[in-house]
Amino acid sequence: MAALFTKFHAFFLFLLLLSFALQVVSGEDSQCVTESTHGCHDKSKALKLNLIAIAAILIFSMIGVCLPLFTQSFPALNPDSKAFSIIKAFASGVILATGYMHVLPDSFACLQSDCLPRHPWKKFPFSTFVAMLSALLTLMLDSLAMSYHTAKPKAHADFGSSSDLKKAAATTELHTTAGNDELVHNDSHTKLLRHRVVAQVLEVGIVVHSVVIGLSLGASHNPCMIRPLVIAMCFHQLFEGMGLGGCILQANYKLKMNMIMVFFFSITTPFGIALGLCLSNIYSENSPIALIVVGVLDAASAGILNYMALVNLLAVDFMGSKLQQNVTLQMLAFLAVLLGAGGMSLLAKWA
């Protein structure tokens, strides 16, 4: 499964590069120059800031995604602890706000741009339509992935540590459902697979947005825009990385798979910035094709992130027995969600 996941990421990045290549080819066909390009334009200063951004964002991304993984050394922060539930709730709020407050508005800005013809782009809400389809497609892939791995558990021994899977399969619990007194057998092996599917699908949504925003940042020659954006992006990647890192921790992967997922999350935004720097002389972010491609990708990413945050993170935790049986912990977790979403929403002023 690790090999399949790596190939999937490589193929997905290839599609992104292909889409941006199409933007570059068509970038000279039709350009729409905005007023912001004239107010603060310094190519050499922008280059220095972008190089700083690559290093800073890479470091903050690695710290964010690795921080939850190192909590295994602290019993008070293991996945079964109350503290972990609160931290995860905070990170889930960050991911939710990323989709609603950062990614989806960017899609609206692109697909409602004055640089695009009024028909059909301003006659139909394409951003929300694509986000809805993306969320439904994520639901379908989520369901099919679980069905596939549940039906053939032995054929996917490389999905994670075999010893972990054996322990998980041997550990089961009985709990009473809210609707009736029937005892339900909860297989920990299935729960472990579930956590792994969630971690992988969530990373895909994050990777899409990270490459897109990195490309836009790297292609910019406006240091007045880059400077606050770099600071905001560092905190954005830190908190978003904590959310993904918590999911990776619960997935209980082997070291190799952990490193693969950490690598892809940490490198995608710096990679997008580097790509933007290479294409800065020929890439036009205001060309019609560029606006459409970026707008559609942002909308698709928003659909994935919103679905994952609400369905696979918040709903699962808040409707689970752990929070349902402890009202105080439930209120603290809800407060953490509001803080995470609120903090990320505040960052939307700059990023």
Side-chain angles (χ1 to χ4, degrees):
M1 185 65 191
L4 178 62
F5 184 62
T6 306
K7 291 177 182 178
F8 175 77
H9 267 80
F11 177 70
F12 193 78
L13 288 176
F14 169 76
L15 290 180
L16 284 176
L17 287 173
L18 181 61
S19 67
F20 293 134
L22 291 174
Q23 296 177 40
V24 171
V25 170
S26 62
E28 299 299 326
D29 294 342
S30 176
Q31 294 187 6
C32 179
V33 180
T34 59
E35 295 181 0
S36 61
T37 58
H38 302 294
C40 185
H41 185 91
D42 190 328
K43 190 173 181 179
S44 61
K45 186 177 291 185
L47 175 61
K48 293 178 182 177
L49 288 173
N50 274 314
L51 292 176
I52 294 173
I54 291 176
I57 292 175
L58 178 63
I59 292 172
F60 274 82
S61 297
M62 292 187 68
I63 292 174
V65 73
C66 289
L67 199 59
L69 301 179
F70 291 131
T71 61
Q72 297 180 76
S73 305
F74 303 95
L77 295 176
N78 69 69
D80 295 325
S81 68
K82 295 179 180 179
F84 182 84
S85 296
I86 295 174
I87 294 172
K88 187 184 176 185
F90 175 86
S92 299
V94 168
I95 293 172
L96 182 65
T98 298
Y100 278 113
M101 298 300 296
H102 291 254
V103 190
L104 196 56
D106 287 348
S107 176
F108 274 110
C110 289
L111 297 183
Q112 295 289 317
S113 172
D114 292 334
C115 300
L116 292 177
R118 184 173 180 81
H119 184 79
W121 301 105
K122 294 184 180 180
K123 298 291 186 179
F124 185 80
F126 283 99
S127 294
T128 47
F129 179 68
V130 172
M132 178 188 69
L133 291 181
S134 175
L136 292 175
L137 181 61
T138 305
L139 170 63
M140 183 185 72
L141 293 176
D142 202 6
S143 176
L144 290 175
M146 276 304 299
S147 299
Y148 179 67
H149 293 302
T150 302
K152 297 183 178 180
K154 293 181 180 179
H156 304 281
D158 63 334
F159 196 64
S161 170
S162 58
S163 60
D164 290 336
L165 290 177
K166 288 178 181 178
K167 290 178 182 178
T171 305
T172 57
E173 62 179 0
L174 295 175
H175 65 86
T176 304
T177 60
N180 52 57
D181 295 330
E182 180 184 5
L183 291 177
V184 180
H185 182 266
N186 190 1
D187 188 357
S188 296
H189 175 77
T190 303
K191 288 176 64 178
L192 188 60
L193 290 176
R194 181 71 189 144
H195 287 312
R196 292 178 176 181
V197 171
V198 168
Q200 293 181 10
V201 176
L202 178 61
E203 177 148 349
V204 170
I206 292 174
V207 163
V208 177
H209 175 58
S210 295
V211 175
V212 169
I213 195 172
L215 179 80
S216 299
L217 183 62
S220 175
H221 293 159
N222 187 342
C224 298
M225 182 273 290
I226 296 174
R227 194 176 292 109
L229 187 59
V230 170
I231 298 173
M233 279 301 299
C234 286
F235 286 102
H236 177 281
Q237 292 297 105
L238 176 68
F239 294 135
E240 197 171 53
M242 289 173 62
L244 178 62
C247 292
I248 296 174
L249 176 62
Q250 287 187 309
N252 202 10
Y253 285 117
K254 290 188 290 186
L255 178 61
K256 180 181 178 181
M257 192 60 174
N258 281 344
M259 291 177 64
I260 290 173
M261 297 193 72
V262 167
F263 171 79
F264 273 105
F265 171 77
S266 302
I267 204 68
T268 44
T269 302
F271 168 77
I273 296 173
L275 182 64
L277 287 173
C278 295
L279 302 178
S280 59
N281 291 326
I282 52 178
Y283 170 74
S284 173
E285 64 179 6
N286 293 312
S287 70
I289 295 296
L291 289 168
I292 293 170
V293 171
V294 171
V296 170
L297 287 175
D298 274 339
S301 176
I304 295 173
L305 292 176
N306 293 341
Y307 168 85
M308 297 302 295
L310 289 171
V311 178
N312 284 334
L313 296 177
L314 292 173
V316 170
D317 287 344
F318 277 87
M319 299 304 169
S321 59
K322 186 176 180 180
L323 293 185
Q324 286 294 312
Q325 295 172 5
N326 190 330
V327 178
T328 302
L329 180 60
Q330 189 176 153
M331 290 297 101
L332 289 174
F334 187 69
L335 179 61
V337 172
L338 291 177
L339 288 174
M344 207 62 177
S345 298
L346 184 62
L347 285 178
K349 181 179 179 181
W350 299 281

